[in-house]
Amino acid sequence: MRIHLPPWGRKSNFSSQSPVPPSPKTPLLASDDILRGALVATALFVFSLAVLKLRRRRAPSWRDIDPAILKVGGTRKRLEAVAEKTDVVLIGSGLGSLTSAALLSKAGYKVVILEQHDVAGGATHTFEGGGFEFDVGIHYLGGRLHDFTSPVRRLWSAVSDGKLEWTPSDEVYDVCFNSKTDESIPFIASPSANSAAVLRHFQAKKANTAACKAALSWYRIYQWIGWFVALAYYTLKALPPAVTQIVWPLFGPVWRRFGSASVKDILDRCGCPAVATELSGVLTYLYGDYGVTPTRAPWFLHALVSTHYDGGSFFPTGGSASIAKTIVSAITSRGGHVFVRSPVDEIVIENGRAVGVRLKGDIVIRAKVGVISGAGFRNTFGCADAKGGSAPLLDPAAAAPQRCLLQVRNASGSGRSGQWAVGAVGAVGSERSGRWAVG
């Protein structure tokens, strides 16, 4: 038997060459290849940004939209033309109806919005006087709208086809002002800077520094707990009812402690009253934004609104009417319709299903898919405690299963969590900031 050895393992009298070891494995990617790949990726990224910027520059903006688009009247001829060609009918032209219609039209549905007022837009209405334009609803918005990656900005862009633009407010976007003592606290984009400003204010009033720091720290923690609990709550609402019934016994106690507890209760837990009677009022100075006093407002609502302004505030370029113009333009460009002066008398129900609406003049518009009411719960379903006003859009028998969802909670007292409470809201001069007069 012969054993054959490789050259470097076999002795030979005829060669003095040293053994040659096998060459090491070559790496899959050399450093030069990695560098070239990084340069190519960077070049493609820069090119993509340039193309996107050029496309946005060429795309129509809110300036190109005729304001008359918000005042298209629902004549009999126009309404009868869409009576049998509509997938979804939406009642009211507030932001809820407008954004829903924009997304549905993007999905290929034929939508019709019916508004009883003479201009569409709900809280985005404006009026002119003395050479100035006044906004009746929106005074600023948050959501880091200056950041291209902001989810809120992406949502606005989706419903407006990218035509809506935003102007940042001044660095100090809010001033909490005590009209009795002339004291004021500025609020800016940085939450940590705002906490520091509040701390300095109460240090100057000889408050306990350690207790004030602890209260502000707990307040920030509870803010984010409330935010996440609200996110979980609305996620549950989007799930099938069977899943909600299984999860709710576990989630319910968390919701009641951190979500539906009143703002005043949470601030008491944070230790605000122990620092100073005014601290709770300072931290809730913006309750005018959600319109419910701190003794009645649920904590999740305050948490959502207050964290919404982390990063500063913004205003729609061209005024709040540009919000309605851009969204209505997105709807009509896909075959949808927005009619004003078109009051709905009744939602038509057949076999327990909403199949259309009846307007004044006995005009019926059929909906192949369904009806969305943006007219509010009371106007849609009616309420046992409602006094006067117009009849609900739904027949009382059909509305009975849903009416029980409305809970009317009466609370006594002024609802001011401290001596600082909102008395008036308004922009001062030409400043792009809000000034909350309190006291």
Side-chain angles (χ1 to χ4, degrees):
M1 180 176 67
R2 293 183 179 181
I3 299 175
H4 296 278
L5 297 175
W8 57 83
R10 184 172 59 214
K11 292 183 179 180
S12 174
N13 296 327
F14 305 99
S15 175
S16 61
Q17 294 179 351
S18 60
V20 180
S23 60
K25 292 183 178 180
T26 304
L28 295 177
L29 285 176
S31 58
D32 291 345
D33 295 333
I34 296 175
L35 180 60
R36 279 193 290 269
L39 289 174
V40 170
T42 303
L44 289 174
F45 178 72
V46 172
F47 177 75
S48 300
L49 287 180
V51 171
L52 181 61
K53 188 174 182 180
L54 182 62
R55 288 183 61 185
R56 290 191 65 186
R57 189 175 295 175
R58 291 179 177 177
S61 71
W62 59 271
R63 298 176 180 85
D64 305 314
I65 302 173
D66 187 352
I69 197 173
L70 302 179
K71 301 180 180 180
V72 178
T75 62
R76 175 176 284 274
K77 182 178 180 180
R78 288 171 177 162
L79 295 173
E80 290 177 346
V82 299
E84 302 294 335
K85 302 177 181 179
T86 302
D87 294 321
V88 181
V89 175
L90 298 99
I91 305 171
S93 66
L95 282 177
S97 293
L98 289 179
T99 53
S100 299
L103 295 175
L104 286 168
S105 61
K106 274 194 166 187
Y109 294 95
K110 297 299 180 183
V111 299
V112 172
I113 295 179
L114 302 172
E115 169 61 52
Q116 66 178 351
H117 195 35
D118 58 3
V119 60
T124 66
H125 286 176
T126 61
F127 67 93
E128 295 183 1
F132 295 94
E133 183 178 88
F134 297 90
D135 299 273
V136 300
I138 294 174
H139 55 285
Y140 53 41
L141 294 171
R144 299 182 180 273
L145 298 175
H146 62 300
D147 185 354
F148 182 76
T149 63
S150 164
V152 179
R153 173 172 173 155
R154 305 292 289 178
L155 287 171
W156 282 116
S157 181
V159 297
S160 67
D161 284 346
K163 298 176 184 177
L164 190 56
E165 301 172 9
W166 300 96
T167 300
S169 301
D170 291 340
E171 181 183 7
V172 176
Y173 70 86
D174 261 352
V175 176
C176 184
F177 177 75
N178 191 324
S179 58
K180 293 182 179 179
T181 62
D182 289 339
E183 296 172 304
S184 63
I185 302 176
F187 284 81
I188 62 175
S190 170
S192 58
N194 293 334
S195 295
V198 174
L199 179 62
R200 287 194 301 271
H201 174 82
F202 285 99
Q203 282 177 329
K205 296 173 73 69
K206 308 301 182 182
N208 186 314
T209 300
C212 189
K213 283 184 178 179
L216 292 173
S217 297
W218 277 112
Y219 171 76
R220 191 63 180 167
I221 291 171
Y222 271 103
Q223 269 186 315
W224 285 110
I225 292 176
W227 190 93
F228 281 110
V229 167
L231 179 64
Y233 175 74
Y234 285 109
T235 301
L236 280 177
K237 288 174 69 70
L239 296 176
V243 177
T244 304
Q245 290 176 359
I246 295 172
V247 177
W248 184 255
L250 301 174
F251 180 71
V254 178
W255 169 252
R256 286 188 290 272
R257 179 164 180 79
F258 300 107
S260 61
S262 73
V263 174
K264 182 181 182 301
D265 290 341
I266 296 293
L267 293 178
D268 290 347
R269 291 183 210 166
C270 293
C272 293
V275 176
T277 55
E278 297 98 336
L279 180 57
S280 296
V282 170
L283 296 178
T284 58
Y285 78 93
L286 49 59
Y287 82 80
D289 278 342
Y290 47 81
V292 187
T293 56
T295 52
R296 297 186 60 196
W299 176 251
F300 87 91
L301 183 60
H302 177 83
L304 290 175
V305 173
S306 57
T307 55
H308 178 67
Y309 296 106
D310 291 353
S313 67
F314 303 82
F315 195 75
T317 308
S320 58
S322 61
I323 296 178
K325 286 196 302 182
T326 53
I327 299 178
V328 170
S329 174
I331 294 169
T332 56
S333 67
R334 294 176 173 83
H337 300 277
V338 180
F339 295 132
V340 299
R341 298 187 296 278
S342 305
V344 174
D345 280 346
E346 179 187 2
I347 297 175
V348 180
I349 303 293
E350 293 180 359
N351 299 321
R353 180 177 176 273
V355 297
V357 297
R358 178 174 285 104
L359 294 87
K360 292 187 182 300
D362 204 31
I363 301 173
V364 176
I365 298 180
R366 308 285 294 185
K368 299 176 183 178
V369 176
V371 177
I372 297 175
S373 175
F377 194 102
R378 290 175 182 268
N379 293 331
T380 304
F381 296 103
C383 266
D385 64 342
K387 297 179 180 179
S390 58
L393 298 174
L394 274 174
D395 178 79
Q402 297 292 329
R403 190 183 300 113
C404 62
L405 296 176
L406 182 63
Q407 296 180 355
V408 179
R409 188 171 118 192
N410 297 318
S412 59
S414 64
R416 298 184 177 185
S417 301
Q419 297 178 6
W420 292 49
V422 174
V425 181
V428 181
S430 60
E431 297 177 357
R432 291 183 298 194
S433 62
R435 183 161 299 193
W436 298 74
V438 300

